[in-house]
Amino acid sequence: MTVEAVVFDIGNVLLEWHPERYFDRTIGPERRKAMFADVDLHAMNDRIDLGEGFKDVIYATAEAYPAWRAEIRDWYDNWIELAAPPIDHSVRLLRALKTAGVPVFTLTNFGVESFAYAQSHYDFLTEFDREYVSGRMRVIKPDPMIYQMLEQDCGVPPEQLLFADDRADNIAMAASRGWQTHHFITPQGWADCLVAAGLLAPEQAQ
């Protein structure tokens, strides 16, 4: 099956996203484990990804858990350090596809303001042909609605979309809609998939 457009997730595909690692470094593993046990920080982040205010949600959560106020505020104050570093090989693949004339989209769970911030820091995040950002769309993966919205907007038949995501549930939903998929584990595996699909030559996928 031919591929008309390639769809990239961002977190852990183009940018490493391991908030726990950041807090292990700043407050130590034991305090980090205690904080994550006390506060559902990933649910907090889901609210941002669904379109709520970036700073508002984090600072309100910090006030709700005063024992962790400073640490939770850090999720906003030093957010760019949580969303780091770039996965350089994946960035090269994105740009190689663009150079080869292959349309490249992103379908990402990301807040409105945090995505704009990330774009101001990482220029490759401005290079997509189409951006499908959950905070703007008010729905997050793997809700089928976000996939349907992409399909309706881009006009590419589902079976001609090739989607890479690090989460198996997100991939499974795309596959159920007929998309071609790649469960992202390593950038080399993604490179091999793009070569196998005939989108890049081996030398373009380095």
Side-chain angles (χ1 to χ4, degrees), residues 19-29 31-32 35 71 74 78 81:
E20 292 88 347
R21 183 174 62 195
Y22 169 82
F23 287 104
D24 281 350
R25 187 174 76 247
T26 57
I27 64 175
R31 294 196 71 230
R32 185 270 298 173
M35 178 173 71
E71 291 83 359
D74 223 19
N78 286 310
E81 293 187 37

Side-chain angles (χ1 to χ4, degrees), residues 57-77:
V57 166
I58 294 169
Y59 271 46
T61 303
E63 291 310 304
Y65 294 92
W68 299 107
R69 181 184 289 113
E71 291 83 359
I72 295 170
R73 284 187 172 199
D74 223 19
W75 195 288
Y76 175 83
D77 295 344

Side-chain angles (χ1 to χ4, degrees), residues 2 4 43 48 51 60 75 85 103 106 110 121 163 180 201 206:
T2 58
E4 188 175 326
I48 297 163
W75 195 288
T106 184
F110 228 117
H121 197 80
F163 175 48
Q180 299 179 56
Q206 300 303 309

Side-chain angles (χ1 to χ4, degrees), residues 89-164:
H89 190 181
S90 291
V91 174
R92 294 197 300 273
L93 294 171
L94 165 66
R95 289 175 165 164
L97 289 165
K98 292 278 292 180
T99 298
V102 179
V104 178
F105 309 157
T106 184
L107 177 62
T108 182
N109 288 352
F110 228 117
V112 175
E113 298 152 292
S114 53
F115 186 67
Y117 182 24
Q119 286 185 308
S120 74
H121 197 80
Y122 300 115
D123 57 357
F124 60 87
L125 294 180
T126 68
E127 297 173 14
F128 300 107
D129 296 290
R130 292 176 184 263
E131 298 171 356
Y132 299 98
V133 179
S134 66
R136 300 173 187 166
M137 301 163 81
R138 300 297 180 116
V139 59
I140 59 174
K141 297 175 291 183
D143 189 313
M145 180 59 69
I146 198 169
Y147 301 85
Q148 181 181 343
M149 292 168 74
L150 181 151
E151 294 162 7
Q152 292 172 338
D153 179 76
C154 74
V156 177
E159 64 272 13
Q160 294 183 5
L161 295 167
L162 174 59
F163 175 48

